[in-house]
Amino acid sequence: MAELLWCVGRRGNDKAARFLDRAFSVCGVLMRHSRGEGRPGQGRQPTRGRGPVTSSIWVRLDAILHGIASFLSASGKTSSWVLLMIFVAIACFSAIIPPFQSPDEFDHIARAYLLGKGSIILETPSGSASGGMIDSGLAEYMKVYEALPFHPERKVSACEVATAGAIGWTGHKVFRAAPGTGYYFPLIYLPQTIALVLGEHLGLSVDASYHLARILAILAIAVLLAVSFSIYNVSPLTIALLVMPMSLFQMSSASIDGISTALAIFSVSVFLRMATDKELFDTWQYYALALSVALLATSRIHLLSLLLLVFYVCYYRRKPRNFIIWALLLFFVALWIVVAVLNTVDTRILLGATPSTIFVYYLKNPFMFFRVLFDTILSGDRIQFYIHSFFGILGWVDTLFSYEIYPVFIYPLILVGLLSISPARSRPERTARLVVFSCAVLSILLMFFALLVTWTPHPARMIEGVQGRYFLVPMIFISYAISGGGKLDAGLLRRIALVVLLLLGLYTVVHTSWLLVKRYYLADAPPGIPFFLDEDASVSGKDLAAGPLAVPAVQAGPLRAPDLAGARPWPEAGRDD
């Protein structure tokens, strides 16, 4: 074996040689554990009071888990392998999902285009919602896919894809309302904006420009997560939250959900690195934290709680320059919120009062807010919707898994969470994790309050507009707060969590891919058309309706086309028959 590795190394492939060496050493570890010899240099491990059968099972389990963790880390950090697997899944989903299938993605793309034209604040024509002037080619491209949201029966046809792919940039402008994005400081759309600007100037089709926007958004997410994982160790629970169907679906789109999630992870990682050890403090990290918090607080109003992270770093470091930066950050965020509220008109829902009036009302009557909040969260139907939409109600909240699948996501996530818990190793770490947990709780309260002010008719009985995916970032904060900075594969419990995580990820990819294909491409068979398998046997719609066990047995034979004379034709895509 040494000669084989030497030959591989002589050919210049040192990395492959090291990988093979590591792989064979893993096999050796498994063999030694199976004989009860422990790791090299440790000798036979004591049974610690366990019976011979229990001890043998425990030793073999630890050997298998240690072997998997060792194999994952053979060519680098375990987190690098996990990150690679996540983005393979994202690439697969992005190839399946048609354009504009993330909620409000039409408005997100319009906002990114407007940023490329220098528009920071949306226009508000008389009698219209806020928006801006976009290219008529982009508007026509959007119109091709506007029939899909909220209509699960509609599918994408090859004709529609070809039509959309042939649309180019025209240079003519038309107005499009995008009021939902008026509250967002548009710099967070920078990857999508770069793609649209490049596509327009290079003469690409609108379709190619849109998919370039997806690619750049995914690359931005990849870079942010890779840097975050290198700054501070990620836990299995955080990874589990990222491989939920809803998380992967949103990261596969051209909206800002994936970028804001990655920015939040980056912010928490930088904060925990700086707040747990003064020796690890770098000035560039503080500036990066302030910039990322500025983008998040001005594009996700419930993430205003992240301002607390920057303030704690200032208090921890006790340097005047850091306090000045925090004060400027606070001023910028407050100024943008005031400007956005005063200049954005949203006519999609009648509130009964302006958002500023509703804000002042609940500011003067805080108990009314908590009363409405409790009535909302105590509603059983809403809690079920929050749970299902957290794990995955895809598309424009119109694509559900079957109900028996959701527990398969819920219970492994709980198990991974329990296996990821670790105590704080020092007092500064304990305090920093408590700050992160406080940010999570405050984010949830701000989320309900923001939707109460901007999306719920006044006076309110329950808060409208809350979706489960809005809880993702607060849950990621909680995962960092309870898990700490231990290595992803450190200890037996985390190795078990990694195995559960691997199985959960595979299950997610398989079932989510099938759901997406069925939702966007597979039409239901029209009633009344028989399917003939051979000359003497057929399976009718009545037989199939009785269940899979009721399908009559047929003899194998050549396929022949059914006689469809007088049958009802297949519906065309985009039409209701």
Side-chain angles (χ1 to χ4, degrees), residues 97-101 105 109 141 169 195-196 205-215 252-254:
I97 302 169
F100 305 111
Q101 296 313 300
E105 192 175 350
I109 291 297
Y141 180 73
W169 300 97
L196 296 178
S205 67
V206 178
D207 181 70
S209 304
Y210 168 83
H211 284 92
L212 182 60
R214 269 193 185 180
I215 292 172
S252 304
S253 71

mmCIF file with all atom_site columns, all heavy atoms in Angstrom, residues 97-101 105 109 141 169 195-196 205-215 252-254:
data_model
loop_
_atom_site.group_PDB
_atom_site.id
_atom_site.type_symbol
_atom_site.label_atom_id
_atom_site.label_alt_id
_atom_site.label_comp_id
_atom_site.label_asym_id
_atom_site.label_entity_id
_atom_site.label_seq_id
_atom_site.pdbx_PDB_ins_code
_atom_site.Cartn_x
_atom_site.Cartn_y
_atom_site.Cartn_z
_atom_site.occupancy
_atom_site.B_iso_or_equiv
_atom_site.pdbx_formal_charge
_atom_site.auth_seq_id
_atom_site.auth_comp_id
_atom_site.auth_asym_id
_atom_site.auth_atom_id
_atom_site.pdbx_PDB_model_num
ATOM 1   N N   . ILE A 1 97  ? -36.869 24.692 -10.720 1.00 0.00 ? 97  ILE A N   1
ATOM 2   C CA  . ILE A 1 97  ? -37.876 25.714 -10.413 1.00 0.00 ? 97  ILE A CA  1
ATOM 3   C C   . ILE A 1 97  ? -37.973 26.721 -11.554 1.00 0.00 ? 97  ILE A C   1
ATOM 4   O O   . ILE A 1 97  ? -36.970 27.306 -11.964 1.00 0.00 ? 97  ILE A O   1
ATOM 5   C CB  . ILE A 1 97  ? -37.515 26.438 -9.103  1.00 0.00 ? 97  ILE A CB  1
ATOM 6   C CG1 . ILE A 1 97  ? -37.402 25.438 -7.948  1.00 0.00 ? 97  ILE A CG1 1
ATOM 7   C CG2 . ILE A 1 97  ? -38.557 27.500 -8.769  1.00 0.00 ? 97  ILE A CG2 1
ATOM 8   C CD1 . ILE A 1 97  ? -36.802 26.034 -6.692  1.00 0.00 ? 97  ILE A CD1 1
ATOM 9   N N   . PRO A 1 98  ? -39.170 26.976 -12.081 1.00 0.00 ? 98  PRO A N   1
ATOM 10  C CA  . PRO A 1 98  ? -39.331 28.020 -13.101 1.00 0.00 ? 98  PRO A CA  1
ATOM 11  C C   . PRO A 1 98  ? -39.072 29.404 -12.497 1.00 0.00 ? 98  PRO A C   1
ATOM 12  O O   . PRO A 1 98  ? -39.042 29.579 -11.277 1.00 0.00 ? 98  PRO A O   1
ATOM 13  C CB  . PRO A 1 98  ? -40.802 27.875 -13.524 1.00 0.00 ? 98  PRO A CB  1
ATOM 14  C CG  . PRO A 1 98  ? -41.229 26.527 -13.043 1.00 0.00 ? 98  PRO A CG  1
ATOM 15  C CD  . PRO A 1 98  ? -40.419 26.256 -11.809 1.00 0.00 ? 98  PRO A CD  1
ATOM 16  N N   . PRO A 1 99  ? -38.873 30.406 -13.342 1.00 0.00 ? 99  PRO A N   1
ATOM 17  C CA  . PRO A 1 99  ? -38.629 31.761 -12.826 1.00 0.00 ? 99  PRO A CA  1
ATOM 18  C C   . PRO A 1 99  ? -39.814 32.310 -12.022 1.00 0.00 ? 99  PRO A C   1
ATOM 19  O O   . PRO A 1 99  ? -40.970 31.948 -12.248 1.00 0.00 ? 99  PRO A O   1
ATOM 20  C CB  . PRO A 1 99  ? -38.414 32.583 -14.108 1.00 0.00 ? 99  PRO A CB  1
ATOM 21  C CG  . PRO A 1 99  ? -37.944 31.590 -15.123 1.00 0.00 ? 99  PRO A CG  1
ATOM 22  C CD  . PRO A 1 99  ? -38.670 30.321 -14.797 1.00 0.00 ? 99  PRO A CD  1
ATOM 23  N N   . PHE A 1 100 ? -39.481 33.141 -11.054 1.00 0.00 ? 100 PHE A N   1
ATOM 24  C CA  . PHE A 1 100 ? -40.451 33.935 -10.290 1.00 0.00 ? 100 PHE A CA  1
ATOM 25  C C   . PHE A 1 100 ? -41.397 33.098 -9.430  1.00 0.00 ? 100 PHE A C   1
ATOM 26  O O   . PHE A 1 100 ? -42.530 33.491 -9.194  1.00 0.00 ? 100 PHE A O   1
ATOM 27  C CB  . PHE A 1 100 ? -41.289 34.821 -11.233 1.00 0.00 ? 100 PHE A CB  1
ATOM 28  C CG  . PHE A 1 100 ? -40.482 35.713 -12.114 1.00 0.00 ? 100 PHE A CG  1
ATOM 29  C CD1 . PHE A 1 100 ? -40.438 35.494 -13.482 1.00 0.00 ? 100 PHE A CD1 1
ATOM 30  C CD2 . PHE A 1 100 ? -39.755 36.762 -11.578 1.00 0.00 ? 100 PHE A CD2 1
ATOM 31  C CE1 . PHE A 1 100 ? -39.685 36.317 -14.306 1.00 0.00 ? 100 PHE A CE1 1
ATOM 32  C CE2 . PHE A 1 100 ? -38.993 37.585 -12.403 1.00 0.00 ? 100 PHE A CE2 1
ATOM 33  C CZ  . PHE A 1 100 ? -38.956 37.369 -13.763 1.00 0.00 ? 100 PHE A CZ  1
ATOM 34  N N   . GLN A 1 101 ? -40.924 31.964 -8.921  1.00 0.00 ? 101 GLN A N   1
ATOM 35  C CA  . GLN A 1 101 ? -41.801 31.129 -8.109  1.00 0.00 ? 101 GLN A CA  1
ATOM 36  C C   . GLN A 1 101 ? -41.589 31.287 -6.616  1.00 0.00 ? 101 GLN A C   1
ATOM 37  O O   . GLN A 1 101 ? -42.247 30.623 -5.812  1.00 0.00 ? 101 GLN A O   1
ATOM 38  C CB  . GLN A 1 101 ? -41.640 29.662 -8.512  1.00 0.00 ? 101 GLN A CB  1
ATOM 39  C CG  . GLN A 1 101 ? -42.074 29.391 -9.931  1.00 0.00 ? 101 GLN A CG  1
ATOM 40  C CD  . GLN A 1 101 ? -43.416 30.024 -10.249 1.00 0.00 ? 101 GLN A CD  1
ATOM 41  O OE1 . GLN A 1 101 ? -44.435 29.714 -9.617  1.00 0.00 ? 101 GLN A OE1 1
ATOM 42  N NE2 . GLN A 1 101 ? -43.447 30.923 -11.226 1.00 0.00 ? 101 GLN A NE2 1
ATOM 43  N N   . GLU A 1 105 ? -41.283 37.435 -5.955  1.00 0.00 ? 105 GLU A N   1
ATOM 44  C CA  . GLU A 1 105 ? -40.040 37.495 -6.716  1.00 0.00 ? 105 GLU A CA  1
ATOM 45  C C   . GLU A 1 105 ? -40.141 38.450 -7.899  1.00 0.00 ? 105 GLU A C   1
ATOM 46  O O   . GLU A 1 105 ? -39.143 39.026 -8.328  1.00 0.00 ? 105 GLU A O   1
ATOM 47  C CB  . GLU A 1 105 ? -39.634 36.095 -7.195  1.00 0.00 ? 105 GLU A CB  1
ATOM 48  C CG  . GLU A 1 105 ? -38.211 36.038 -7.730  1.00 0.00 ? 105 GLU A CG  1
ATOM 49  C CD  . GLU A 1 105 ? -37.763 34.643 -8.082  1.00 0.00 ? 105 GLU A CD  1
ATOM 50  O OE1 . GLU A 1 105 ? -38.473 33.671 -7.746  1.00 0.00 ? 105 GLU A OE1 1
ATOM 51  O OE2 . GLU A 1 105 ? -36.684 34.520 -8.704  1.00 0.00 ? 105 GLU A OE2 1
ATOM 52  N N   . ILE A 1 109 ? -37.143 41.246 -8.439  1.00 0.00 ? 109 ILE A N   1
ATOM 53  C CA  . ILE A 1 109 ? -36.373 41.439 -9.661  1.00 0.00 ? 109 ILE A CA  1
ATOM 54  C C   . ILE A 1 109 ? -36.560 42.863 -10.187 1.00 0.00 ? 109 ILE A C   1
ATOM 55  O O   . ILE A 1 109 ? -35.606 43.503 -10.668 1.00 0.00 ? 109 ILE A O   1
ATOM 56  C CB  . ILE A 1 109 ? -36.773 40.398 -10.717 1.00 0.00 ? 109 ILE A CB  1
ATOM 57  C CG1 . ILE A 1 109 ? -36.297 39.005 -10.286 1.00 0.00 ? 109 ILE A CG1 1
ATOM 58  C CG2 . ILE A 1 109 ? -36.189 40.746 -12.074 1.00 0.00 ? 109 ILE A CG2 1
ATOM 59  C CD1 . ILE A 1 109 ? -34.803 38.873 -10.168 1.00 0.00 ? 109 ILE A CD1 1
ATOM 60  N N   . TYR A 1 141 ? -41.482 39.399 -20.071 1.00 0.00 ? 141 TYR A N   1
ATOM 61  C CA  . TYR A 1 141 ? -40.947 38.136 -19.555 1.00 0.00 ? 141 TYR A CA  1
ATOM 62  C C   . TYR A 1 141 ? -41.663 37.734 -18.272 1.00 0.00 ? 141 TYR A C   1
ATOM 63  O O   . TYR A 1 141 ? -41.985 36.556 -18.074 1.00 0.00 ? 141 TYR A O   1
ATOM 64  C CB  . TYR A 1 141 ? -39.453 38.300 -19.313 1.00 0.00 ? 141 TYR A CB  1
ATOM 65  C CG  . TYR A 1 141 ? -38.751 37.075 -18.770 1.00 0.00 ? 141 TYR A CG  1
ATOM 66  C CD1 . TYR A 1 141 ? -38.516 35.979 -19.580 1.00 0.00 ? 141 TYR A CD1 1
ATOM 67  C CD2 . TYR A 1 141 ? -38.316 37.037 -17.451 1.00 0.00 ? 141 TYR A CD2 1
ATOM 68  C CE1 . TYR A 1 141 ? -37.859 34.856 -19.088 1.00 0.00 ? 141 TYR A CE1 1
ATOM 69  C CE2 . TYR A 1 141 ? -37.654 35.923 -16.955 1.00 0.00 ? 141 TYR A CE2 1
ATOM 70  C CZ  . TYR A 1 141 ? -37.433 34.840 -17.778 1.00 0.00 ? 141 TYR A CZ  1
ATOM 71  O OH  . TYR A 1 141 ? -36.791 33.732 -17.288 1.00 0.00 ? 141 TYR A OH  1
ATOM 72  N N   . TRP A 1 169 ? -34.216 42.497 -24.371 1.00 0.00 ? 169 TRP A N   1
ATOM 73  C CA  . TRP A 1 169 ? -34.342 43.845 -23.815 1.00 0.00 ? 169 TRP A CA  1
ATOM 74  C C   . TRP A 1 169 ? -34.738 44.808 -24.943 1.00 0.00 ? 169 TRP A C   1
ATOM 75  O O   . TRP A 1 169 ? -34.189 44.756 -26.040 1.00 0.00 ? 169 TRP A O   1
ATOM 76  C CB  . TRP A 1 169 ? -33.033 44.300 -23.183 1.00 0.00 ? 169 TRP A CB  1
ATOM 77  C CG  . TRP A 1 169 ? -32.568 43.411 -22.070 1.00 0.00 ? 169 TRP A CG  1
ATOM 78  C CD1 . TRP A 1 169 ? -31.650 42.405 -22.153 1.00 0.00 ? 169 TRP A CD1 1
ATOM 79  C CD2 . TRP A 1 169 ? -32.991 43.450 -20.712 1.00 0.00 ? 169 TRP A CD2 1
ATOM 80  N NE1 . TRP A 1 169 ? -31.481 41.804 -20.935 1.00 0.00 ? 169 TRP A NE1 1
ATOM 81  C CE2 . TRP A 1 169 ? -32.291 42.430 -20.019 1.00 0.00 ? 169 TRP A CE2 1
ATOM 82  C CE3 . TRP A 1 169 ? -33.890 44.230 -20.000 1.00 0.00 ? 169 TRP A CE3 1
ATOM 83  C CZ2 . TRP A 1 169 ? -32.457 42.180 -18.663 1.00 0.00 ? 169 TRP A CZ2 1
ATOM 84  C CZ3 . TRP A 1 169 ? -34.067 43.981 -18.647 1.00 0.00 ? 169 TRP A CZ3 1
ATOM 85  C CH2 . TRP A 1 169 ? -33.373 42.979 -17.989 1.00 0.00 ? 169 TRP A CH2 1
ATOM 86  N N   . ALA A 1 195 ? -26.124 41.234 -12.321 1.00 0.00 ? 195 ALA A N   1
ATOM 87  C CA  . ALA A 1 195 ? -26.488 40.288 -13.379 1.00 0.00 ? 195 ALA A CA  1
ATOM 88  C C   . ALA A 1 195 ? -27.397 40.939 -14.416 1.00 0.00 ? 195 ALA A C   1
ATOM 89  O O   . ALA A 1 195 ? -27.197 40.770 -15.630 1.00 0.00 ? 195 ALA A O   1
ATOM 90  C CB  . ALA A 1 195 ? -27.168 39.070 -12.759 1.00 0.00 ? 195 ALA A CB  1
ATOM 91  N N   . LEU A 1 196 ? -28.396 41.682 -13.977 1.00 0.00 ? 196 LEU A N   1
ATOM 92  C CA  . LEU A 1 196 ? -29.327 42.305 -14.916 1.00 0.00 ? 196 LEU A CA  1
ATOM 93  C C   . LEU A 1 196 ? -28.641 43.390 -15.747 1.00 0.00 ? 196 LEU A C   1
ATOM 94  O O   . LEU A 1 196 ? -28.903 43.521 -16.948 1.00 0.00 ? 196 LEU A O   1
ATOM 95  C CB  . LEU A 1 196 ? -30.521 42.885 -14.154 1.00 0.00 ? 196 LEU A CB  1
ATOM 96  C CG  . LEU A 1 196 ? -31.407 41.865 -13.425 1.00 0.00 ? 196 LEU A CG  1
ATOM 97  C CD1 . LEU A 1 196 ? -32.520 42.570 -12.666 1.00 0.00 ? 196 LEU A CD1 1
ATOM 98  C CD2 . LEU A 1 196 ? -31.996 40.854 -14.401 1.00 0.00 ? 196 LEU A CD2 1
ATOM 99  N N   . SER A 1 205 ? -30.479 37.648 -23.609 1.00 0.00 ? 205 SER A N   1
ATOM 100 C CA  . SER A 1 205 ? -31.931 37.650 -23.480 1.00 0.00 ? 205 SER A CA  1
ATOM 101 C C   . SER A 1 205 ? -32.322 37.936 -22.044 1.00 0.00 ? 205 SER A C   1
ATOM 102 O O   . SER A 1 205 ? -31.502 37.814 -21.119 1.00 0.00 ? 205 SER A O   1
ATOM 103 C CB  . SER A 1 205 ? -32.503 36.303 -23.921 1.00 0.00 ? 205 SER A CB  1
ATOM 104 O OG  . SER A 1 205 ? -32.095 35.278 -23.023 1.00 0.00 ? 205 SER A OG  1
ATOM 105 N N   . VAL A 1 206 ? -33.563 38.306 -21.847 1.00 0.00 ? 206 VAL A N   1
ATOM 106 C CA  . VAL A 1 206 ? -34.036 38.557 -20.483 1.00 0.00 ? 206 VAL A CA  1
ATOM 107 C C   . VAL A 1 206 ? -33.975 37.269 -19.663 1.00 0.00 ? 206 VAL A C   1
ATOM 108 O O   . VAL A 1 206 ? -33.627 37.286 -18.480 1.00 0.00 ? 206 VAL A O   1
ATOM 109 C CB  . VAL A 1 206 ? -35.472 39.124 -20.500 1.00 0.00 ? 206 VAL A CB  1
ATOM 110 C CG1 . VAL A 1 206 ? -35.984 39.336 -19.082 1.00 0.00 ? 206 VAL A CG1 1
ATOM 111 C CG2 . VAL A 1 206 ? -35.525 40.429 -21.278 1.00 0.00 ? 206 VAL A CG2 1
ATOM 112 N N   . ASP A 1 207 ? -34.296 36.149 -20.301 1.00 0.00 ? 207 ASP A N   1
ATOM 113 C CA  . ASP A 1 207 ? -34.252 34.857 -19.605 1.00 0.00 ? 207 ASP A CA  1
ATOM 114 C C   . ASP A 1 207 ? -32.835 34.543 -19.142 1.00 0.00 ? 207 ASP A C   1
ATOM 115 O O   . ASP A 1 207 ? -32.623 34.127 -17.995 1.00 0.00 ? 207 ASP A O   1
ATOM 116 C CB  . ASP A 1 207 ? -34.758 33.760 -20.536 1.00 0.00 ? 207 ASP A CB  1
ATOM 117 C CG  . ASP A 1 207 ? -34.771 32.396 -19.873 1.00 0.00 ? 207 ASP A CG  1
ATOM 118 O OD1 . ASP A 1 207 ? -35.610 32.176 -18.979 1.00 0.00 ? 207 ASP A OD1 1
ATOM 119 O OD2 . ASP A 1 207 ? -33.937 31.549 -20.236 1.00 0.00 ? 207 ASP A OD2 1
ATOM 120 N N   . ALA A 1 208 ? -31.849 34.746 -20.015 1.00 0.00 ? 208 ALA A N   1
ATOM 121 C CA  . ALA A 1 208 ? -30.451 34.492 -19.631 1.00 0.00 ? 208 ALA A CA  1
ATOM 122 C C   . ALA A 1 208 ? -30.014 35.446 -18.526 1.00 0.00 ? 208 ALA A C   1
ATOM 123 O O   . ALA A 1 208 ? -29.285 35.053 -17.606 1.00 0.00 ? 208 ALA A O   1
ATOM 124 C CB  . ALA A 1 208 ? -29.545 34.629 -20.843 1.00 0.00 ? 208 ALA A CB  1
ATOM 125 N N   . SER A 1 209 ? -30.466 36.693 -18.593 1.00 0.00 ? 209 SER A N   1
ATOM 126 C CA  . SER A 1 209 ? -30.123 37.667 -17.555 1.00 0.00 ? 209 SER A CA  1
ATOM 127 C C   . SER A 1 209 ? -30.731 37.273 -16.217 1.00 0.00 ? 209 SER A C   1
ATOM 128 O O   . SER A 1 209 ? -30.084 37.399 -15.169 1.00 0.00 ? 209 SER A O   1
ATOM 129 C CB  . SER A 1 209 ? -30.608 39.063 -17.968 1.00 0.00 ? 209 SER A CB  1
ATOM 130 O OG  . SER A 1 209 ? -30.081 39.452 -19.217 1.00 0.00 ? 209 SER A OG  1
ATOM 131 N N   . TYR A 1 210 ? -31.978 36.796 -16.257 1.00 0.00 ? 210 TYR A N   1
ATOM 132 C CA  . TYR A 1 210 ? -32.617 36.361 -15.016 1.00 0.00 ? 210 TYR A CA  1
ATOM 133 C C   . TYR A 1 210 ? -31.863 35.186 -14.390 1.00 0.00 ? 210 TYR A C   1
ATOM 134 O O   . TYR A 1 210 ? -31.592 35.180 -13.180 1.00 0.00 ? 210 TYR A O   1
ATOM 135 C CB  . TYR A 1 210 ? -34.070 35.960 -15.280 1.00 0.00 ? 210 TYR A CB  1
ATOM 136 C CG  . TYR A 1 210 ? -34.694 35.244 -14.105 1.00 0.00 ? 210 TYR A CG  1
ATOM 137 C CD1 . TYR A 1 210 ? -35.220 35.956 -13.036 1.00 0.00 ? 210 TYR A CD1 1
ATOM 138 C CD2 . TYR A 1 210 ? -34.723 33.849 -14.041 1.00 0.00 ? 210 TYR A CD2 1
ATOM 139 C CE1 . TYR A 1 210 ? -35.758 35.309 -11.939 1.00 0.00 ? 210 TYR A CE1 1
ATOM 140 C CE2 . TYR A 1 210 ? -35.256 33.195 -12.954 1.00 0.00 ? 210 TYR A CE2 1
ATOM 141 C CZ  . TYR A 1 210 ? -35.769 33.928 -11.906 1.00 0.00 ? 210 TYR A CZ  1
ATOM 142 O OH  . TYR A 1 210 ? -36.290 33.277 -10.815 1.00 0.00 ? 210 TYR A OH  1
ATOM 143 N N   . HIS A 1 211 ? -31.513 34.203 -15.201 1.00 0.00 ? 211 HIS A N   1
ATOM 144 C CA  . HIS A 1 211 ? -30.796 33.047 -14.647 1.00 0.00 ? 211 HIS A CA  1
ATOM 145 C C   . HIS A 1 211 ? -29.388 33.425 -14.198 1.00 0.00 ? 211 HIS A C   1
ATOM 146 O O   . HIS A 1 211 ? -28.856 32.822 -13.243 1.00 0.00 ? 211 HIS A O   1
ATOM 147 C CB  . HIS A 1 211 ? -30.764 31.913 -15.669 1.00 0.00 ? 211 HIS A CB  1
ATOM 148 C CG  . HIS A 1 211 ? -32.065 31.186 -15.780 1.00 0.00 ? 211 HIS A CG  1
ATOM 149 N ND1 . HIS A 1 211 ? -33.035 31.541 -16.695 1.00 0.00 ? 211 HIS A ND1 1
ATOM 150 C CD2 . HIS A 1 211 ? -32.586 30.148 -15.078 1.00 0.00 ? 211 HIS A CD2 1
ATOM 151 C CE1 . HIS A 1 211 ? -34.084 30.736 -16.559 1.00 0.00 ? 211 HIS A CE1 1
ATOM 152 N NE2 . HIS A 1 211 ? -33.836 29.879 -15.592 1.00 0.00 ? 211 HIS A NE2 1
ATOM 153 N N   . LEU A 1 212 ? -28.789 34.416 -14.821 1.00 0.00 ? 212 LEU A N   1
ATOM 154 C CA  . LEU A 1 212 ? -27.518 34.931 -14.324 1.00 0.00 ? 212 LEU A CA  1
ATOM 155 C C   . LEU A 1 212 ? -27.694 35.569 -12.952 1.00 0.00 ? 212 LEU A C   1
ATOM 156 O O   . LEU A 1 212 ? -26.822 35.434 -12.077 1.00 0.00 ? 212 LEU A O   1
ATOM 157 C CB  . LEU A 1 212 ? -26.937 35.940 -15.313 1.00 0.00 ? 212 LEU A CB  1
ATOM 158 C CG  . LEU A 1 212 ? -25.573 36.550 -14.960 1.00 0.00 ? 212 LEU A CG  1
ATOM 159 C CD1 . LEU A 1 212 ? -24.508 35.468 -14.833 1.00 0.00 ? 212 LEU A CD1 1
ATOM 160 C CD2 . LEU A 1 212 ? -25.172 37.592 -16.000 1.00 0.00 ? 212 LEU A CD2 1
ATOM 161 N N   . ALA A 1 213 ? -28.832 36.234 -12.752 1.00 0.00 ? 213 ALA A N   1
ATOM 162 C CA  . ALA A 1 213 ? -29.135 36.810 -11.430 1.00 0.00 ? 213 ALA A CA  1
ATOM 163 C C   . ALA A 1 213 ? -29.244 35.720 -10.381 1.00 0.00 ? 213 ALA A C   1
ATOM 164 O O   . ALA A 1 213 ? -28.768 35.865 -9.247  1.00 0.00 ? 213 ALA A O   1
ATOM 165 C CB  . ALA A 1 213 ? -30.422 37.629 -11.500 1.00 0.00 ? 213 ALA A CB  1
ATOM 166 N N   . ARG A 1 214 ? -29.870 34.610 -10.736 1.00 0.00 ? 214 ARG A N   1
ATOM 167 C CA  . ARG A 1 214 ? -29.942 33.477 -9.809  1.00 0.00 ? 214 ARG A CA  1
ATOM 168 C C   . ARG A 1 214 ? -28.542 32.970 -9.466  1.00 0.00 ? 214 ARG A C   1
ATOM 169 O O   . ARG A 1 214 ? -28.227 32.716 -8.302  1.00 0.00 ? 214 ARG A O   1
ATOM 170 C CB  . ARG A 1 214 ? -30.749 32.345 -10.430 1.00 0.00 ? 214 ARG A CB  1
ATOM 171 C CG  . ARG A 1 214 ? -32.232 32.367 -10.138 1.00 0.00 ? 214 ARG A CG  1
ATOM 172 C CD  . ARG A 1 214 ? -32.830 31.038 -10.524 1.00 0.00 ? 214 ARG A CD  1
ATOM 173 N NE  . ARG A 1 214 ? -34.276 31.036 -10.369 1.00 0.00 ? 214 ARG A NE  1
ATOM 174 C CZ  . ARG A 1 214 ? -35.060 30.003 -10.631 1.00 0.00 ? 214 ARG A CZ  1
ATOM 175 N NH1 . ARG A 1 214 ? -34.509 28.868 -11.080 1.00 0.00 ? 214 ARG A NH1 1
ATOM 176 N NH2 . ARG A 1 214 ? -36.356 30.066 -10.459 1.00 0.00 ? 214 ARG A NH2 1
ATOM 177 N N   . ILE A 1 215 ? -27.718 32.818 -10.497 1.00 0.00 ? 215 ILE A N   1
ATOM 178 C CA  . ILE A 1 215 ? -26.377 32.266 -10.284 1.00 0.00 ? 215 ILE A CA  1
ATOM 179 C C   . ILE A 1 215 ? -25.560 33.167 -9.366  1.00 0.00 ? 215 ILE A C   1
ATOM 180 O O   . ILE A 1 215 ? -24.909 32.692 -8.417  1.00 0.00 ? 215 ILE A O   1
ATOM 181 C CB  . ILE A 1 215 ? -25.666 32.065 -11.638 1.00 0.00 ? 215 ILE A CB  1
ATOM 182 C CG1 . ILE A 1 215 ? -26.345 30.947 -12.431 1.00 0.00 ? 215 ILE A CG1 1
ATOM 183 C CG2 . ILE A 1 215 ? -24.192 31.742 -11.436 1.00 0.00 ? 215 ILE A CG2 1
ATOM 184 C CD1 . ILE A 1 215 ? -25.844 30.814 -13.855 1.00 0.00 ? 215 ILE A CD1 1
ATOM 185 N N   . SER A 1 252 ? -32.599 28.924 -3.723  1.00 0.00 ? 252 SER A N   1
ATOM 186 C CA  . SER A 1 252 ? -32.504 28.588 -5.140  1.00 0.00 ? 252 SER A CA  1
ATOM 187 C C   . SER A 1 252 ? -33.111 29.658 -6.032  1.00 0.00 ? 252 SER A C   1
ATOM 188 O O   . SER A 1 252 ? -33.000 29.565 -7.256  1.00 0.00 ? 252 SER A O   1
ATOM 189 C CB  . SER A 1 252 ? -33.213 27.252 -5.417  1.00 0.00 ? 252 SER A CB  1
ATOM 190 O OG  . SER A 1 252 ? -32.696 26.225 -4.605  1.00 0.00 ? 252 SER A OG  1
ATOM 191 N N   . SER A 1 253 ? -33.751 30.651 -5.461  1.00 0.00 ? 253 SER A N   1
ATOM 192 C CA  . SER A 1 253 ? -34.438 31.680 -6.237  1.00 0.00 ? 253 SER A CA  1
ATOM 193 C C   . SER A 1 253 ? -33.567 32.923 -6.353  1.00 0.00 ? 253 SER A C   1
ATOM 194 O O   . SER A 1 253 ? -32.457 32.986 -5.819  1.00 0.00 ? 253 SER A O   1
ATOM 195 C CB  . SER A 1 253 ? -35.771 32.033 -5.572  1.00 0.00 ? 253 SER A CB  1
ATOM 196 O OG  . SER A 1 253 ? -35.543 32.755 -4.370  1.00 0.00 ? 253 SER A OG  1
ATOM 197 N N   . ALA A 1 254 ? -34.110 33.937 -7.048  1.00 0.00 ? 254 ALA A N   1
ATOM 198 C CA  . ALA A 1 254 ? -33.403 35.206 -7.208  1.00 0.00 ? 254 ALA A CA  1
ATOM 199 C C   . ALA A 1 254 ? -33.915 36.266 -6.245  1.00 0.00 ? 254 ALA A C   1
ATOM 200 O O   . ALA A 1 254 ? -33.629 37.452 -6.429  1.00 0.00 ? 254 ALA A O   1
ATOM 201 C CB  . ALA A 1 254 ? -33.536 35.706 -8.645  1.00 0.00 ? 254 ALA A CB  1
#
